[in-house]
Amino acid sequence: MLSQLSAAALIGIDALKVEVETNVSGGLPSFTVVGLPDNAIRESRERILTAIKNSGFNLPPKKITVNLAPADVKKEGTAFDLSIAIGLLGSLQEVSNKLEETLIIGELALDGSLRRINGALPIAMMASRENLKRIILPLVNAEEAAIAVAASQSTIEVHGVETLSDTVSLLRDPSHCKPMEVDVERLFQDHPEYPVDFADIKGQATAKKAMEIAAAGGHNLIMIGPPGSGKTLLAKALPGILPPLNFEESLETTKIYSVADKLSNGKPLMTHRPFRNPHHTTSNVALIGGGTMAKPGEVSLAHNGVLFLDELPEFTRNALEVLRQPLEDNEVTVSRISLTTNYPACFMLVAAMNPSPAGALKDQDGNLTATPQQIQRYLSKISGPLLDRIDIHIDVPKVDNLELFSTAKGESSEVIRNRVITAREKQANRFSEGNAPGIHANAQMTTRLIKKFCPLDKPCATKLMEAMERLNLSARAHDRILKVSRTIADLDGSDNIEMPHLIQAIQYRSLDRDFWNY
């Protein structure tokens, strides 16, 4: 007898509906799965048969054929275990075999219990789009799937089960199982405790202001300074002044973490901006994503948050160059022979580096710590095109001893965050009224929007032209200066870019100037 139900395959961070067709017929006993399954699905035969027997169901020796359609899309992972098992029981008339509008997904253990799966959120979002009536999945994933249903305002029911026997009981009598519901507002009420507050950072007033500007406009930033000057501390304090995630951003970020199996236990939704800090030995694939079993990389895990690259010149040249596309397009395209996958990658790049391979540029006597050739070779590891894509270059000098021992407290992260939120709201209103959909921060402005929202009066235009010629800036650096100027004006409450805003933005191109006066 033939049984049909729905499952799902993950393609990038999205899900594709898969029809699971199970047929049990006479003939030599066998168990065959077709439809481009990977090794994990082929090996599911023993897991499924053992789980069914250990759950108390009898399996007659029959010829079993399972088809996963569409057959031209490769299926990966162990999440098809439960759907194949239920399809098999449906063919044996242990449960109803009319399950076309039910999506069943889950990995089976040998005792019939269910294990956590990846991608429950995108799978539930797909089920809502396909107008299915019911989702059955492991209980540990049920709250995550219910969030997708709440977001789409769908009537689809989400049921979490713990074992294969529970699934069969639910299918036999659905009235005894209440669908999973979730309170999204409660999830957003959890306020994080950031490890570093700006009030605890001694000195570095200029660097703090640059971090505020970067947060207000979503700008990329690089810090140059000797060891111990506070670069890493400043970077770790940055998430504390970023505006909170809205629900749409939270769903986008959660989809990535769900597929990558990075969600914390008990946290079905990412409600705070991610902060990723990969080591400088990270490979190209780990940074950008992809691999044999394509997974999101660090740039995608930092989506709607911060990617912090400490000791930037220590990263391999190839690893740094792969950042150029996501920094420009806010997404990553991973191409393989059989599949091309797009991962979102809209993040703030925050980088830190020493001015010299020896650490500080000069010693206590004012002498260079390395030869000019060594320093130039060290700095040349960061290409000009990559620096062009970083809006703010900021010097972070050694903290003065008077400031280090001072007991005075600076502004807290909460005070700075309020200014950042106000500036972001100003930008959101501007882009909404200016018919710029999908643009939320100044750093995301296109060339057309820069011309529209960043006009300069004649004195400012002349000053910018002089800076372009003196610093030999590229057209991309020109646009970056205008974007940063617009953000500084927003923080200042000004509707127009004025001379002080422009000059301050130009000063944030330190790596375009004579570096030897550092």
Side-chain angles (χ1 to χ4, degrees):
M1 180 177 288
L2 178 66
S3 174
Q4 293 178 309
L5 55 87
S6 295
L10 293 174
I11 309 295
I13 63 166
D14 294 312
L16 173 71
K17 181 181 176 184
V18 174
E19 297 292 340
V20 180
E21 301 172 333
T22 307
N23 188 71
V24 177
S25 60
L28 291 175
S30 64
F31 193 123
T32 306
V33 181
V34 297
L36 281 184
D38 70 346
N39 288 334
I41 298 176
R42 292 192 188 98
E43 292 174 355
S44 66
R45 172 182 181 273
E46 299 302 329
R47 285 196 305 274
I48 292 169
L49 295 180
T50 304
I52 289 175
K53 289 178 181 178
N54 288 336
S55 298
F57 301 102
N58 294 319
L59 283 176
K62 297 280 188 178
K63 179 180 180 180
I64 302 170
T65 305
V66 179
N67 179 43
L68 306 178
D72 59 343
V73 177
K74 188 173 183 179
K75 323 299 186 306
E76 297 179 340
T78 57
F80 291 94
D81 289 3
L82 184 59
S83 53
I84 294 174
I86 293 298
L88 179 54
L89 293 175
S91 296
L92 297 174
Q93 297 184 318
E94 293 286 351
V95 295
S96 171
N97 62 354
K98 296 180 180 179
L99 300 170
E100 293 87 352
E101 294 182 334
T102 299
L103 188 147
I104 301 176
I105 201 89
E107 178 186 343
L108 283 170
L110 295 182
D111 62 354
S113 62
L114 290 172
R115 295 192 171 104
R116 183 185 183 88
I117 62 167
N118 299 340
L121 180 66
I123 288 171
M125 295 174 75
M126 177 275 294
S128 297
R129 291 194 303 270
E130 295 287 341
N131 295 319
L132 298 178
K133 291 185 177 179
R134 182 169 49 185
I135 303 173
I136 300 175
L137 75 172
L139 183 62
V140 291
N141 294 108
E143 194 172 7
E144 183 184 337
I147 289 171
V149 175
S152 61
Q153 298 181 342
S154 171
T155 58
I156 189 171
E157 295 182 355
V158 176
H159 294 279
V161 290
E162 295 185 279
T163 65
L164 176 59
S165 298
D166 292 344
T167 310
V168 172
S169 299
L170 170 64
L171 292 173
R172 286 174 175 173
D173 189 2
S175 62
H176 291 296
C177 186
K178 185 179 179 182
M180 173 66 71
E181 296 181 354
V182 63
D183 185 354
V184 176
E185 292 185 1
R186 178 186 60 81
L187 295 175
F188 277 93
Q189 290 173 357
D190 179 24
H191 298 291
E193 292 185 6
Y194 296 104
V196 182
D197 193 287
F198 270 85
D200 300 325
I201 301 176
K202 302 292 185 179
Q204 304 298 6
T206 302
K208 290 180 182 178
K209 185 61 180 179
M211 299 295 280
E212 179 181 343
I213 294 169
H219 300 289
N220 302 320
L221 177 143
I222 183 170
M223 295 176 282
I224 313 100
S229 58
K231 302 186 297 295
T232 303
L233 205 61
L234 285 164
K236 290 183 177 179
L238 179 60
I241 65 172
L242 291 174
L245 285 171
N246 59 40
F247 188 44
E248 182 180 349
E249 291 174 327
S250 182
L251 282 176
E252 291 175 354
T253 307
T254 304
K255 280 178 66 176
I256 299 169
Y257 276 71
S258 177
V259 169
D261 194 22
K262 298 288 185 180
L263 283 177
S264 303
N265 290 333
K267 288 191 65 176
L269 185 68
M270 292 285 293
T271 56
H272 312 303
R273 296 190 182 273
F275 179 86
R276 304 295 299 180
N277 182 14
H279 192 261
H280 59 75
T281 57
T282 300
S283 67
N284 300 6
V285 173
L287 194 61
I288 209 72
T292 305
M293 296 182 65
K295 292 288 185 181
E298 291 291 340
V299 295
S300 295
L301 293 172
H303 183 61
N304 290 323
V306 176
L307 177 66
F308 176 47
L309 302 183
D310 203 0
E311 304 296 344
L312 187 66
E314 300 301 329
F315 285 80
T316 65
R317 181 68 177 257
N318 289 339
L320 294 180
E321 292 308 300
V322 297
L323 291 173
R324 286 160 61 172
Q325 185 216 352
L327 285 174
E328 198 70 25
D329 301 334
N330 293 332
E331 70 174 6
V332 172
T333 301
V334 179
S335 296
R336 295 293 181 266
I337 294 175
S338 59
L339 183 68
T340 297
T341 305
N342 291 328
Y343 296 116
C346 182
F347 60 91
M348 281 180 61
L349 173 64
V350 177
M353 60 178 286
N354 299 324
S356 164
L361 185 64
K362 298 178 181 178
D363 59 22
Q364 293 180 348
D365 298 326
N367 300 316
L368 292 176
T369 58
T371 65
Q373 293 80 9
Q374 289 173 327
I375 295 173
Q376 189 61 43
R377 195 181 310 115
Y378 176 75
L379 296 176
S380 65
K381 292 181 180 180
I382 308 169
S383 67
L386 179 60
L387 281 178
D388 268 354
R389 289 169 169 82
I390 299 178
D391 305 0
I392 299 175
H393 309 164
I394 183 68
D395 297 334
V396 185
K398 181 182 177 181
V399 180
D400 185 86
N401 287 335
L402 290 177
E403 292 180 323
L404 189 61
F405 286 92
S406 173
T407 57
K409 282 230 172 188
E411 282 187 314
S412 68
S413 293
E414 184 178 359
V415 173
I416 300 174
R417 182 170 61 247
N418 290 334
R419 290 200 297 266
V420 169
I421 291 173
T422 301
R424 285 285 186 110
E425 290 173 349
K426 188 179 182 73
Q427 294 165 45
N429 293 334
R430 180 189 303 124
F431 297 134
S432 175
E433 295 171 359
N435 192 24
I439 305 297
H440 308 291
N442 288 333
Q444 300 171 347
M445 285 192 290
T446 61
T447 302
R448 179 183 64 84
L449 295 177
I450 291 172
K451 291 180 180 179
K452 184 175 182 180
F453 297 124
C454 303
L456 298 178
D457 57 23
K458 191 171 181 178
C460 287
T462 302
K463 174 63 70 174
L464 181 56
M465 186 179 299
E466 291 175 358
M468 293 283 293
E469 293 176 353
R470 187 173 69 253
L471 302 177
N472 194 26
L473 299 178
S474 66
R476 184 179 282 116
H478 166 273
D479 289 351
R480 303 282 171 179
I481 289 174
L482 289 177
K483 291 178 183 179
V484 174
S485 300
R486 180 66 268 172
T487 301
I488 297 171
D490 289 339
L491 284 169
D492 201 30
S494 175
D495 292 332
N496 300 311
I497 297 175
E498 300 174 359
M499 186 65 75
H501 308 143
L502 180 65
I503 292 175
Q504 187 176 355
I506 294 173
Q507 290 298 312
Y508 289 139
R509 304 296 303 182
S510 63
L511 288 180
D512 297 322
R513 303 197 302 269
D514 181 10
F515 197 75
W516 303 107
N517 291 325
Y518 177 82

